[in-house]
């Protein structure tokens, strides 16, 4: 975690995080336009933030987009926060809230985590019900080939739909599938009120993509959940859900047990 504290110690790097928090998914050119700083200096600061995993990048065609990544702050808050001085704890808590709760003007969720595991083991954790029920609380039934159907089962409710399909499947490297249907049975099982359930049902179907990249003894996992409409209710829900799910996945693979359910 030394890299995180060193990265946050510089005012310019904090400003970059503020800019990305206000509008996530910016190119280097866009970030430079908002700062009185040379392009080379901005690139160097971004490299430090990326090395600390506070910023993650996704290529869209020829453009490299930069996103705030809350994973390091989650890791500190959920596992090691009691090792730090109380003043640091307060600052981290404020930053964690800012990264996770402030609205970002983008219609996608991007999150990167480094997990001490192998690509094969991580792929199994993403697709095998024995794993998914432990850290996610749901199970998938699929052949895990491009075009294959997917059935979701959670809290005793099984959701099936012809549009719930695997989009890409490159074992140990990349997995992408469409999100589940917000059926009345699902809405009831998770306690959604009628207004929220109606909004979710009316929104276009989103998709999630997992990119797995070996990084020495670690695997870099980048999750991109996109395809949301502007002002999406589903997006706000997944923003709150994904960090906990992915933190629990990381903990399960590294320690053998998922995180406990939050109080």
């Amino acid at each position: 975690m030394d890299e995180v504290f060193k990265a946050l110690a510089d005012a310019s790097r904090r400003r970059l995080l503020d800019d990305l928090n206000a509008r996530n998914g910016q190119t280097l050119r866009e970030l430079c336009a908002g700062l009185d700083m040379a392009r080379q200096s901005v690139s160097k600061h971004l490299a430090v933030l990326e090395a600390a995993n506070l910023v993650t990048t996704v290529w869209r065609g020829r453009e490299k987009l930069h996103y705030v990544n809350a994973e390091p702050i989650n890791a500190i808050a959920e596992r090691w926060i009691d090792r730090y001085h109380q003043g640091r704890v307060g600052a981290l808590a404020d930053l964690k809230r800012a990264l996770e709760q402030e609205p970002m003007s983008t219609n996608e969720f991007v999150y990167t985590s480094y997990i001490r595991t192998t690509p094969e083991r991580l792929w199994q954790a993403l697709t095998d019900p024995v794993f998914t029920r432990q850290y996610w609380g749901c199970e998938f039934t699929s052949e895990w080939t491009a075009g294959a159907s997917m059935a979701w089962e959670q809290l005793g409710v099984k959701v099936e739909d012809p549009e719930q399909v695997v989009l890409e499947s490159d074992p140990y490297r990349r997995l992408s599938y469409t999100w589940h249907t917000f059926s009345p049975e699902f809405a009831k099982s998770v306690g959604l009120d009628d207004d929220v359930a109606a909004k979710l049902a009316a929104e276009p179907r989103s998709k999630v993509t997992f990119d797995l990249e070996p990084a020495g003894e670690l695997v870099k996992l980048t999750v991109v959940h996109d395809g949301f409409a502007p002002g999406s209710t589903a997006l706000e829900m997944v923003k709150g859900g994904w960090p906990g799910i992915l933190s629990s996945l990381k903990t399960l693979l590294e320690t053998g047990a998922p995180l406990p359910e939050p109080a």
Side-chain angles (χ1 to χ4, degrees), residues 119-133 135-136 138-145 150-151 166 168-172 174-177 210 212 249 253:
E120 294 79 7
R121 186 74 167 166
L122 180 51
W123 180 271
Q124 184 183 16
L126 293 172
T127 58
D128 189 337
V130 172
F131 282 89
T132 59
R133 74 168 67 100
Y135 69 87
W136 197 332
C138 67
E139 300 179 16
F140 307 120
T141 303
S142 179
E143 296 178 356
W144 301 115
T145 57
M150 286 183 66
V166 177
E168 296 180 65
S169 182
D170 184 357
Y172 321 131
R174 184 178 176 89
L175 177 66
S176 181
Y177 51 79
F210 304 88
L212 290 66
L249 165 63
L253 288 172

Side-chain angles (χ1 to χ4, degrees), residues 1-18 42 44-55 69 72-73 76 88 92 95 99:
M1 289 294 108
D2 286 348
E3 295 87 353
V4 176
F5 290 117
K6 289 177 182 178
L8 294 174
D10 185 90
S12 295
R13 290 195 282 271
R14 294 196 300 271
R15 172 70 185 279
L16 280 169
L17 288 175
D18 287 340
V42 175
K44 289 181 178 178
H45 284 308
L46 285 172
V48 174
L49 291 169
E50 285 189 61
N53 202 24
L54 286 162
V55 165
N69 186 41
I73 308 304
I76 293 171
R88 277 183 170 180
L92 286 169
L95 179 58
L99 292 178

Side-chain angles (χ1 to χ4, degrees), residues 134-194:
Q134 291 185 69
Y135 69 87
W136 197 332
C138 67
E139 300 179 16
F140 307 120
T141 303
S142 179
E143 296 178 356
W144 301 115
T145 57
S149 62
M150 286 183 66
W152 294 56
E153 188 167 352
Q154 184 175 0
L155 298 175
V157 174
K158 193 170 187 177
V159 181
E160 298 179 280
D161 190 293
E163 295 185 9
Q164 281 178 202
V165 295
V166 177
L167 299 172
E168 296 180 65
S169 182
D170 184 357
Y172 321 131
R173 295 170 58 88
R174 184 178 176 89
L175 177 66
S176 181
Y177 51 79
T178 58
W179 204 238
H180 66 77
T181 300
F182 291 99
S183 66
E185 294 79 12
F186 174 84
K188 183 178 180 181
S189 70
V190 296
L192 297 177
D193 64 43
D194 292 342

